[in-house]
Amino acid sequence: MGYRVVVAGATGNVGREMLNILAERQFPVDEIAALASRRSLGTEVSFGDKTLTTQDIDTFDFTGWDMALFAIGSDATKVYAPKAAAAGCVVIDNSSLYRYDPDIPLIVPECNPQAIHDYKNKNIIANPNCSTAQMVVALKPLHDRAKIKRVVVSTYQSVSGAGKDGMDELWDQTKAVYNPTTDVPPNKFQKQIAFNVIPQIDVFMEDGSTKEEWKMVVETKKIIDPSIKVTATCVRVPVFVGHSEAVNIEFEEFLDEDEARDILREAPGIMVIDKREPGGYVSPIECAGDFATFISRIRQDSTVENGINLWCVSDNLRKGAALNAVQIAELLGREVLKKG
Ligand SMILES: NC(=O)c1ccc[n+]([C@@H]2O[C@H](COP(=O)([O-])OP(=O)(O)OC[C@H]3O[C@@H](n4cnc5c(N)ncnc54)[C@H](OP(=O)(O)O)[C@@H]3O)[C@@H](O)[C@H]2O)c1
């Protein structure tokens, strides 16, 4: 016996990947429902070799469904997640709405699987921000060995992190550069994204950082350890899929770069590609469609007492969103619901 699973936001970037990954990983599904807004009623989406017809979330009855993977943005989640949870369907949510609620577990299965049991508080589990998810997968095994004091991270985030509209804007602006008669002004992004980089993701906070940067700080603390200090600069780059991060880590104890490389090689969810030769590292175009978080450029930082630098790349629609949500569903099944 398998699960009755709902995917909400099935027409979006993350929702489509959720359907792909549930099929790829042969999640034990007895029945699956694809939901989106009324705008998409009747739209067809793929689930393995099957085609599903999208239903309107507003009229959907969640009663009798085991779990719902949500990727519909915070505003719609605020309306529909409590409805699903109250009907007894466990919500695994990709928006930022519930991530900072102390009663709701924020889970990256490689880092804090033990938090799964807290789902009972509200029948809701939160999935982290895409840039946090891939970073904590790399930080956790290193923290277990040498205790991290401080992290300085700069991100290079793809446009798919801003949904399907973000991808369209990069595509249309890129074409318009070669066709001066068309003008595609910034809409989803604050400035032109084609052939440019933009040091702003999400809104500004009072202290001058952006909300995306703040998310990396508080989510790392919630998932791994509140004592870890994080400072982040988040930048949008003209890449379609795959977020990259330059991460500088300061530890309590000395950690040799070779040992760090060995630890990461053994760690779950990580693939180390680190040859000190031209091209001996991973770039975002190579990670798209993959499950792993790739780590390259591991090296000592001799400007601090116990420092390591590394380069971290992952498919933001997968580990940063859909894959992590499916891994949470697998964990929930294995540890709690025990069907399938
Ligand atoms: N992209 C990433 O890397 C990433 C990573 C982590 C988390 N997330 C989060 O995941 C969520 C979805 O992101 P995305 O990138 O997939 O966005 P997207 O490509 O723009 O897709 C949005 C999805 O939400 C649905 N939706 C929007 N408003 C709705 C409403 N009022 N009622 C029901 N469905 C509604 C859309 O349905 P229609 O087609 O009918 O409009 C569509 O299926 C967001 O909360 C985002 O912050 C994204």
Side-chain angles (χ1 to χ4, degrees):
M1 199 172 65
Y3 297 95
R4 297 186 77 216
V5 179
V6 175
V7 172
T11 52
N13 275 346
V14 175
R16 283 177 194 272
E17 279 300 332
M18 283 172 169
L19 290 167
N20 291 338
I21 293 170
L22 286 166
E24 275 172 45
R25 291 171 77 96
Q26 299 182 335
F27 188 80
V29 168
D30 266 2
E31 196 179 347
I32 190 154
L35 311 183
S37 75
R38 190 161 304 149
R39 292 181 292 272
S40 306
L41 183 68
T43 302
E44 293 192 333
V45 290
S46 300
F47 172 59
D49 52 12
K50 297 193 182 72
T51 301
L52 308 176
T53 304
T54 308
Q55 304 176 53
D56 178 4
I57 195 170
D58 202 43
T59 53
F60 186 78
D61 182 0
F62 287 91
T63 312
W65 293 84
D66 294 299
M67 52 179 94
L69 280 57
F70 267 56
I72 58 173
S74 294
D75 291 347
T77 301
K78 198 183 253 173
V79 178
Y80 300 111
K83 248 177 100 175
C89 173
V90 183
V91 173
I92 300 170
D93 179 37
N94 269 274
S95 81
S96 58
L97 184 67
Y98 296 112
R99 290 179 195 154
Y100 319 111
D101 181 331
D103 290 335
I104 290 184
L106 175 66
I107 299 183
V108 173
E110 292 89 341
C111 300
N112 61 339
Q114 70 287 352
I116 193 74
H117 298 285
D118 296 339
Y119 89 95
K120 286 193 192 104
N121 296 341
K122 293 195 175 165
N123 239 12
I124 298 174
I125 302 164
N127 207 49
N129 185 43
C130 40
S131 45
T132 310
Q134 67 183 68
M135 183 174 78
V136 294
V137 169
L139 294 184
K140 177 70 167 82
L142 301 176
H143 183 61
D144 288 345
R145 159 64 183 82
K147 198 155 194 315
I148 296 171
K149 273 166 54 178
R150 178 171 184 255
V151 176
V152 183
V153 55
S154 300
T155 71
Y156 307 76
Q157 296 181 225
S158 71
V159 294
S160 57
K164 50 192 176 185
D165 294 348
M167 297 180 86
D168 289 346
E169 193 157 310
L170 173 58
W171 178 250
D172 293 340
Q173 281 182 354
T174 303
K175 283 191 297 182
V177 167
Y178 296 103
N179 181 4
T181 56
T182 41
D183 181 31
V184 183
N187 179 30
K188 191 78 191 170
F189 302 113
Q190 300 77 15
K191 296 190 183 233
Q192 176 181 316
I193 185 63
F195 303 96
N196 201 7
V197 298
I198 303 172
Q200 181 193 346
I201 301 181
D202 213 329
V203 297
F204 276 95
M205 313 279 289
E206 249 175 37
D207 68 354
S209 60
T210 63
K211 186 108 186 260
E212 185 83 353
E213 292 156 358
W214 174 85
K215 287 175 190 168
M216 292 191 80
V217 175
V218 295
E219 292 178 19
T220 303
K221 288 176 183 289
K222 184 166 175 179
I223 295 165
I224 306 186
D225 186 337
S227 73
I228 298 177
K229 292 180 185 163
V230 179
T231 181
T233 301
C234 293
V235 180
R236 188 74 69 192
V237 296
V239 167
F240 281 106
V241 176
H243 287 359
S244 308
E245 300 175 344
V247 191
N248 175 264
I249 313 163
E250 205 181 330
F251 297 92
E252 298 261 343
E253 294 167 35
F254 178 73
L255 179 62
D256 176 72
E257 61 186 21
D258 290 330
E259 191 184 348
R261 196 174 293 106
D262 288 344
I263 290 169
L264 291 168
R265 274 206 182 102
E266 296 298 317
I270 289 180
M271 181 81 82
V272 174
I273 308 276
D274 193 17
K275 293 193 183 132
R276 292 180 173 178
E277 61 187 38
Y281 43 81
V282 170
S283 64
I285 216 157
E286 295 150 294
C287 81
D290 224 303
F291 284 147
T293 292
F294 293 91
I295 308 293
S296 308
R297 306 286 323 277
I298 302 162
R299 61 207 191 276
Q300 222 78 48
D301 171 11
S302 55
T303 66
V304 291
E305 208 176 334
N306 302 315
I308 292 278
N309 283 307
L310 56 84
W311 175 249
C312 170
V313 178
S314 198
D315 181 330
N316 53 293
L317 299 177
R318 293 202 153 211
K319 186 59 199 169
L323 170 62
N324 198 68
V326 173
Q327 287 177 294
I328 293 173
E330 291 168 346
L331 180 66
L332 182 72
R334 211 166 46 238
E335 295 294 323
V336 183
L337 305 180
K338 300 186 193 251
K339 286 190 192 174

